[in-house]
Structure formats: structure tokens, C-alpha cells
Amino acid sequence: MKKPLSLPRICIAATGETPAALRTCAEAALRQSRFVELRLDWLKNPSDGIPLIKTLLNSAARSAQVGRPVLQATCRRRESGGRFDGTVARQLEILEMAARGGCHLADLEIESAEAAGPAAVSQLHGAVRLILSWHDFQRTRPLEGAARRLRRFPADYYKIVTTATRQSDNCAVLEFLEGANATEGEAGKWIAFCMGEAGVPSRVLALSRGSAFVYAAPNLGSSAAGVVRKAEDRSFPLAAPGQLDYETLQKRYCAARLTARTKLFGLLGAPVRHSLGAALHNAAFRKLGLDAVYLPLLVSDLRDFREAAARYPLAGFSVTIPHKEAILRYVERADRWVRAAGAANTIRVRRERWEATNKDVEGILRPLRKTYRLAKGARLPKNFQAVIVGAGGAARAAVIALRAMGCRDLAITGRDPVKVRRFAGAFDLDPLPLEELGRERFDLLVQATPVGLWPNAAESLLQGKQIAAETVFDLIYNPPETLLLRLARAQGCRVISGLEMFLAQAASQFEYWTGLPAPLRTMRQAAWDELQRLDHTATP
């Protein structure tokens, strides 16, 4: 009879194409958690990983860091999304060898179970705690068919993993989990989530909906959104698309502490991987002890998202490119900043009604008030002259902010003369050819194009005499000191980093959603910490 087993709620997947690489990855994982999956199918000969099991158990047993280890063996066949090219019979033999070697659990895909038959699966189940799994690497379809296939075989756990192509896919998986756990005799037996970047919310929320556990990658080399990078970026390869690293899942999202009552917020856009929003807002929630989480919400279909937002349900969300204008078709209420800008970057949900505002405007207003020492509502001098470089959404927010501060002498320039003239006509501005920038000096220059944004941080749209202003405000926040700001500083200009705008609009969003003062110091530190993880910024 199998002994009772206490499982942590997050299992770290260890990968490696050689026994030495797999051992290195597994040892790193065991320094973070005592629950580790060994992907034996990554080895050319999976049986070469069997001796590693006792080595890991013995070395981990001597360590006081994480406690008694729990190991899961997986040897997934290529036909089912793995790397093992052997027969089903050999696959089951390897998993039984892993069980005799000390592994506590084994993952067997349903295709292999059906090919092997009930007797062979029962034999494996007698030797080890069995996870019977079903994967769809293309999409998310109705899950009951997969569940019926899994239930035909007795197992300790059943796992359903799909691929999210839209946010409603996450909702379908999370709702399935809630229903399966409400089924008599099946509570705590199901594991379910979605793969892919769009599936990240399901990985974060699965435990709160009853998943027995979820999977993560080791911590090294993670990106801004917490998605582990490729091996050449100094990390361990991902076992599955969209997998988060352990620290991100456990510490940033606090996945093991979330419940069905946790308020959900997020960033709507495409892409969303680059944003610092998850780091800032989740740090702020933790600081104030709020039961809330902020998620990346990769979306291409807004109609689907409107449905998914109600199913999650979302309490509010930020909006980034390319949805700031299109989102207005779905809101019930918009404030004066939205009406002026024709775009929204923040939505809150009240009684299923979407209320929109544009905190990009506030993100520009706050740093400018601080720079010019103006109280809220105070106006700039009558002869104040400003120029905005760019003709997109950020430039629009800058026009609205400056006019709200009383600036009337306002010029616009940019790379595309046609767009500049169209923008100037829409906002009654003076168009200025980019090549003429520098013939007169301005009080303020606002850089509102993406030129200089990481990873193209060595670029600057303006050079030398073109930077003709007392103060230069670059709206790019990543990196926080762009090449333009360095050039401006060298010419004696006062500079404002786009990080100040980002922090101001994030704080304003937080206050709009929660009604509480934003913990600015915590949010600023979270932003710097996240930028330093990317290895392309200076210390604060």
C-alpha cells in the first residue's frame, strides 16, 4: 500500500538533454522547492536518468533547505508532445524503473494508456502514484471528452493541459476545474491549466480553482513577465510553452495563496510580456495586504475578451497597444480624459459596467507638476513653449496634459510628415518639420515615439542641435535613461525619465481601482528591481 504523500502545490519541471544537464537543472530546482518533475524524455536514452533519482534523493535529504524531496518521472512520447521515440511498452518500463529508483509519481499520457491497455496501466499504478494526462498543443476544445477518456483508467491524479489562443480558453479550463472538484470522489484529483503566453492567467489561477498542483520552471534567466527565456539566455529550457518560473509564480503572483474570492486585475494588450505592470501592481497589493492579483492578458479578440472578463471575473484592467481606441466600443462610461484623447488605458468594472479613463494623461501631468513645482490645477506661464515629437497615442496624451496645464504655444513634429499634419489638424497645433527642429529653443520637449525603446536602446531620433529645450521628457521607460536623455543631460538640459510617467499612471490606476493611496515607494522599488532583472539598466 502506498504511504500518504504530502505534496507542495508547485512542481518545478527539470529539463536537460544529457544526464549531467538534467542533474544540474534538478539540483537547482530542489534548492527552490522539494517537488520536482524529471523530464526523462529529454534524454537520448531516458534510462540513463534512472541513477540520477537516488543521487538527487540522497543529496536533497542532506540539505535542510527545502525538506524531504518529492520526485515525479515523465517520459512523454513524441506523438503526445514529448521527445521519447521508443515504444509504449518501453515507456512504461522506464516509468516503472523510475518508481523502483525512488520516484513518487509518474506521468503517463492517455494515448499511451489506451495503447497499453488497462492491465499494463494497472501494473504501473500499483508501482507508483499515477498522473494520467491529456494534452492539446494547438487549442482548447470542450474538455468533457478528454475527461471521459481519462476516467476510464484508475489513477491518483488526472491532468488536462490545453493551449490558450484567447482568454475565454483560460475561463473554460478554470470552470472545468471548479466543476471537477465539485464531483463526488474527485476533489483534489485534477490538474488543469493552459499552455502558451495567452494561458498564463490559468497557470496563476489554477490552484485557486482547485488544481492539485501546477508546474513551474527553475528561476534563472526570467524575463519581465516571468516567462523563462531560452537556454542561451543563461536559463534552463522550458518544459512547456508559457511556463512561468517558480519565483514569479510563487512570489510575484502568490499563486498558492489565491482563492476564488481574490479580486482579479490585469493588463490587456498584444504584446504584454514587456510590461512592468505585474511587478508594480502585485507589489502594491502585497504591501497593503489586499487579496488581489494583476495578470498579463494577451488578447487579439476584444469581443471574446468582453465575455471572458465577466467569467473570470475581472474587477479592472489596464489597456495597452493595440486596444486603447478599440476598447471604447465596449465601455458603458468614459470620463473627460477619454473623450479628449479618443482612447482609454484603464477600465474598472462596477456592476458589470465598464468605466473608462485615460491615466496616460495623469502619468504626464504628475511628473510635469513636480518638475515645475505646480500645485494641482496650477497653470504654466503664458509664454511657455513646448514641442511634442510623435503623432500617436502617447503624443495625444501629452497634448491633453499640456493644454490642461495652460500651455497654448504647442508644436508637433515627427518622422512621418503626413501623420504629423493630420495630427496637427485634429488638435489645432503647429506642424513642424523634423529637420527644422532646433531652429528655435523650447521650454519643454516631449519625446513620444518608440525610438530608443529596449532592445533598441542605442537609438535616438534626435541628435545634437535638435535637442533644443530647457527640459526633455522622454516617455520611454525601458530603459529608464534613454540615449536621448543622456544626450540631453550632456547638453545641460533638465531631463524627465519615462519611468516617472509609468509610475505616475500606474499609481493613478491603482487608486482608481482600489480607492486607496498607492504605495509609491514600493511600486518604484518593484519597477527598479524588475528592470535590473533585464540586465539593461543602471541602479536607482
Side-chain angles (χ1 to χ4, degrees):
M1 185 175 177
K2 300 168 189 171
K3 295 180 181 178
L5 187 64
S6 173
L7 289 177
R9 306 199 72 194
I10 300 175
C11 177
I12 300 181
T15 58
E17 296 182 350
T18 66
L22 181 59
R23 175 176 178 173
T24 298
C25 187
E27 287 176 340
L30 283 168
R31 287 192 290 271
Q32 298 154 24
S33 171
R34 65 187 186 91
F35 189 11
V36 172
E37 176 190 28
L38 299 177
R39 287 299 301 265
L40 299 175
D41 57 306
W42 279 55
L43 300 175
K44 184 176 181 181
N45 183 3
S47 61
D48 290 345
I50 302 301
L52 174 62
I53 296 169
K54 285 189 177 178
T55 301
L56 292 171
L57 291 172
N58 291 335
S59 61
R62 292 191 295 269
S63 170
Q65 283 184 291
V66 295
R68 185 176 179 82
V70 176
L71 300 181
Q72 173 192 318
T74 299
C75 187
R76 186 158 296 122
R77 299 182 73 229
R78 194 172 296 278
E79 292 88 337
S80 301
R83 297 189 172 195
F84 180 54
D85 290 315
T87 65
V88 170
R90 179 57 177 164
Q91 178 190 25
L92 267 67
E93 182 182 356
I94 290 167
L95 292 177
E96 289 184 22
M97 291 167 59
R100 291 194 297 272
C103 273
H104 306 83
L105 302 100
D107 185 324
L108 180 70
E109 56 271 22
I110 187 61
E111 295 86 355
S112 292
E114 291 170 341
V121 175
S122 180
Q123 180 176 322
L124 177 62
H125 189 201
V128 70
R129 291 169 184 81
L130 180 62
I131 304 168
L132 204 59
S133 61
W134 178 87
H135 296 75
D136 189 327
F137 289 87
Q138 301 299 321
R139 56 180 174 159
T140 299
R141 35 190 161 166
L143 303 178
E144 281 306 323
R148 283 194 296 272
R149 289 175 67 184
L150 293 170
R151 288 182 177 116
R152 291 189 186 116
F153 296 87
D156 297 279
Y157 300 98
Y158 298 111
K159 181 168 74 173
I160 287 181
V161 182
T162 70
T163 298
T165 60
R166 52 188 184 173
Q167 287 303 312
S168 61
D169 292 340
N170 293 317
C171 298
V173 168
L174 296 172
E175 289 161 1
F176 170 82
L177 268 174
E178 292 177 319
N181 277 284
T183 302
E184 186 176 353
E186 294 195 356
K189 293 190 68 170
W190 287 90
I191 304 152
F193 52 87
C194 296
M195 295 179 286
E197 188 182 349
V200 167
S202 72
R203 290 182 181 270
V204 174
L205 299 175
L207 296 177
S208 73
R209 302 303 194 267
S211 187
F213 48 89
V214 290
Y215 293 84
N219 290 343
L220 296 184
S222 56
S223 74
V227 179
V228 176
R229 296 176 178 171
K230 299 176 183 177
E232 58 264 32
D233 293 326
R234 298 181 293 105
S235 71
F236 302 114
L238 286 176
Q243 197 171 65
L244 300 175
D245 68 73
Y246 178 79
E247 184 175 350
T248 296
L249 196 58
Q250 179 80 322
K251 294 185 179 179
R252 174 174 302 168
Y253 294 114
C254 301
R257 296 205 298 268
L258 305 181
T259 72
R261 296 183 300 277
T262 299
K263 284 192 174 183
L264 307 182
F265 300 89
L267 172 64
L268 165 68
V272 292
R273 177 186 301 145
H274 67 286
S275 176
L276 304 183
L280 270 70
H281 286 295
N282 286 314
F285 292 147
R286 287 195 303 273
K287 177 66 175 179
L288 298 188
L290 301 180
D291 184 13
V293 66
Y294 184 96
L295 305 163
L297 301 164
L298 181 67
V299 169
S300 58
D301 183 344
L302 284 177
R303 181 174 296 181
D304 173 81
F305 176 71
R306 178 70 199 238
E307 174 203 341
R311 291 167 69 183
Y312 269 121
L314 293 178
F317 52 93
S318 315
V319 186
T320 188
I321 55 173
H323 301 310
K324 289 187 176 185
E325 295 178 10
I327 196 67
L328 297 183
R329 297 197 300 267
Y330 299 89
V331 306
E332 282 78 31
R333 182 180 176 184
D335 70 4
R336 66 188 180 104
W337 297 129
V338 172
R339 293 192 296 272
N345 83 326
T346 309
I347 307 292
R348 66 182 176 193
V349 183
R350 291 188 170 180
R351 295 181 291 276
E352 299 183 2
R353 290 168 56 84
W354 285 11
E355 300 178 357
T357 186
N358 192 314
K359 296 301 183 183
D360 284 339
V361 177
E362 188 67 22
I364 295 171
L365 281 172
R366 289 191 186 187
L368 288 178
R369 289 186 192 124
K370 182 179 179 181
T371 298
Y372 293 106
R373 299 181 180 179
L374 296 175
K376 190 172 183 178
R379 301 170 75 80
L380 293 164
K382 287 184 179 180
N383 59 348
F384 190 90
Q385 294 179 297
V387 61
I388 297 171
V389 183
R396 188 184 296 121
V399 170
I400 295 164
L402 283 165
R403 284 188 168 165
M405 297 178 73
C407 178
R408 292 293 175 264
D409 195 345
L410 188 55
I412 185 78
T413 188
R415 295 170 291 177
D416 186 331
V418 174
K419 286 185 178 180
V420 168
R421 286 196 297 271
R422 188 183 303 131
F423 190 100
F427 287 91
D428 192 24
L429 302 173
D430 296 323
L432 178 67
L434 189 61
E435 59 271 18
E436 293 185 15
L437 188 61
R439 293 184 181 178
E440 75 175 289
R441 192 163 182 84
F442 292 89
D443 295 292
L444 173 68
L445 183 151
V446 179
Q447 203 291 122
T449 80
V451 179
L453 178 67
W454 185 85
N456 301 310
E459 298 178 1
S460 173
L461 182 61
L462 307 180
Q463 303 288 334
K465 293 181 180 179
Q466 289 180 302
I467 310 172
E470 296 295 325
T471 301
V472 175
F473 189 176
D474 194 338
L475 301 187
I476 289 173
Y477 68 83
N478 187 7
E481 183 167 84
T482 60
L483 175 58
L484 172 63
L485 292 187
R486 293 199 300 274
L487 292 172
R489 196 190 301 276
Q491 291 184 192
C493 303
R494 178 168 50 184
V495 301
I496 308 173
S497 168
L499 185 59
E500 298 305 316
M501 174 193 175
F502 183 80
L503 287 167
Q505 64 88 26
S508 188
Q509 286 180 330
F510 183 91
E511 292 161 1
Y512 184 70
W513 291 328
T514 68
L516 300 172
L520 289 171
R521 185 176 298 178
T522 295
M523 296 176 83
R524 181 179 295 276
Q525 188 60 54
W528 276 109
D529 290 346
E530 190 62 18
L531 286 167
Q532 286 180 297
R533 276 166 45 115
L534 297 175
D535 293 330
H536 55 77
T537 185
T539 56

